[in-house]
Amino acid sequence: MAETNPIEVQQALKGASYPTDRKTLTELAKKNNASDKVVDKIAHLKSDRIEGPDQVEKEMFRG
């Protein structure tokens, strides 16, 4: 199975308002019909408070 890519994540988080929290982003990804893999990765971000999309990308793709 291919790795999650940044474009999938951008699509999953379309319409997000920042700052926000991990739970809100997870629900938005589900609403945007993101794959289960993307939803799971968002649900397991290290930080609960998310300041912006750059933080999501950093936590998901750069550890």
Side-chain angles (χ1 to χ4, degrees):
M1 191 182 299
E3 284 294 311
T4 303
N5 70 58
I7 293 170
E8 287 179 287
V9 177
Q10 288 173 1
Q11 291 170 340
L13 300 180
K14 184 178 179 182
S17 297
Y18 297 94
T20 190
D21 59 64
R22 183 176 49 236
K23 183 176 188 258
T24 301
L25 288 183
T26 302
E27 293 303 317
L28 179 62
K30 290 178 186 176
K31 180 181 166 194
N32 286 337
N33 299 313
S35 70
D36 290 342
K37 182 171 63 172
V38 171
V39 171
D40 186 61
K41 283 192 163 225
I42 292 168
H44 290 93
L45 291 173
K46 290 182 240 171
S47 303
D48 182 50
R49 181 173 170 83
I50 310 299
E51 298 295 331
D54 55 326
Q55 182 181 352
V56 174
E57 184 178 322
K58 181 180 178 186
E59 289 192 21
M60 287 182 81
F61 300 106
R62 296 182 222 146

